[in-house]
Amino acid sequence: LHVRSRRQRQMCIRDRLMANEILERLRANEQYSDQTITFAIFVQSTNTSITPGNFISYAVAEGGENELSSFTEVDEEYVMFPSSEGREVNEQVNSDYQLFNRNLSSYFDNFTTSIGYGRFIDGSLESLTIEIPVQYTSQGEIIGLTQYVEGLMGEHFSGSRVEVSIEDKNETYSLITKDENDQVSTHVYE
């Protein structure tokens, strides 16, 4: 298991012991004696973190098994964009995100930046959620911006699931999604 600190190694050992104890207690109940049971170890993010925690490993006890023999490591990470952490995790996605933001700022003058949350599995971008903050002025502007972002979706983040919401602090005006096959779907709320 690849862990970053001594504290995390100790935590993993403790969590695995706890999982075996829980399995033993569940197997003592006849209702669960032949059930497949999955255990996962999740590391919660800090109170000040903007991104969620992540799973670091899991184990499966098939029906009748009374001990978890091994845990499988999960390489999952959540990253906020734009950030220096994004550059460390995946330089290509970080560059693509910066270009996406530059394209947005060239479209309208009062744009500051979008905020993205990427989920990486085994170092590859699995999904990306982007929030584009706007100050609502008219439905026509929202439709124009939505169409522009829809066009950008074809140019950026190829092969990944992406969800973009155009919103202000009170309301979402439109939602643009792209699946891993780069099929884009758009909805403008009225």
Side-chain angles (χ1 to χ4, degrees), residues 8-43:
Q8 287 179 328
R9 281 193 300 274
Q10 290 172 338
M11 180 185 68
C12 285
I13 292 168
R14 184 195 68 219
D15 292 346
R16 290 171 182 198
L17 290 171
M18 288 172 54
N20 272 303
E21 173 69 24
I22 294 167
L23 177 63
E24 183 181 318
R25 291 179 185 192
L26 287 170
R27 291 293 189 223
N29 182 332
E30 266 186 48
Q31 184 178 354
Y32 301 110
S33 63
D34 290 329
Q35 299 291 318
T36 299
I37 301 172
T38 302
F39 291 87
I41 298 177
F42 182 85
V43 176

Side-chain angles (χ1 to χ4, degrees), residues 80-83 97-106 108-117 130-134 165 167:
M80 186 179 96
F81 290 100
S83 71
Y97 194 88
Q98 289 176 337
L99 180 58
F100 177 80
N101 260 339
R102 279 195 298 277
N103 289 338
L104 282 173
S105 62
S106 71
F108 58 105
D109 300 333
N110 62 350
F111 177 73
T112 53
T113 188
S114 67
I115 301 166
Y117 304 94
I130 301 172
E131 298 170 1
I132 300 175
V134 296
S165 58
E167 58 191 28

Side-chain angles (χ1 to χ4, degrees), residues 23-172:
L23 177 63
E24 183 181 318
R25 291 179 185 192
L26 287 170
R27 291 293 189 223
N29 182 332
E30 266 186 48
Q31 184 178 354
Y32 301 110
S33 63
D34 290 329
Q35 299 291 318
T36 299
I37 301 172
T38 302
F39 291 87
I41 298 177
F42 182 85
V43 176
Q44 186 171 335
S45 61
T46 63
N47 291 344
T48 58
S49 179
I50 295 174
T51 56
N54 57 295
F55 288 98
I56 60 170
S57 64
Y58 71 93
V60 177
E62 298 297 334
E65 290 181 354
N66 293 319
E67 189 175 321
L68 297 168
S69 57
S70 67
F71 277 73
T72 302
E73 184 176 345
V74 176
D75 183 7
E76 175 187 61
E77 190 168 5
Y78 287 89
V79 177
M80 186 179 96
F81 290 100
S83 71
S84 58
E85 184 184 13
R87 187 172 43 255
E88 292 170 17
V89 171
N90 189 308
E91 179 62 42
Q92 176 59 43
V93 173
N94 190 63
S95 296
D96 204 14
Y97 194 88
Q98 289 176 337
L99 180 58
F100 177 80
N101 260 339
R102 279 195 298 277
N103 289 338
L104 282 173
S105 62
S106 71
Y107 181 77
F108 58 105
D109 300 333
N110 62 350
F111 177 73
T112 53
T113 188
S114 67
I115 301 166
Y117 304 94
R119 178 178 182 234
F120 289 83
I121 296 180
D122 297 327
S124 296
L125 182 64
E126 177 75 14
S127 63
L128 178 63
T129 302
I130 301 172
E131 298 170 1
I132 300 175
V134 296
Q135 292 181 347
Y136 180 74
T137 54
S138 74
Q139 186 72 5
E141 275 189 3
I142 295 298
I143 291 170
L145 177 58
T146 300
Q147 290 171 338
Y148 182 72
V149 171
E150 183 179 15
L152 289 178
M153 296 300 287
E155 302 170 18
H156 299 279
F157 317 114
S158 181
S160 299
R161 287 192 331 262
V162 181
E163 179 179 288
V164 178
S165 58
I166 298 173
E167 58 191 28
D168 67 16
K169 62 183 175 184
N170 299 317
E171 188 175 354
T172 300

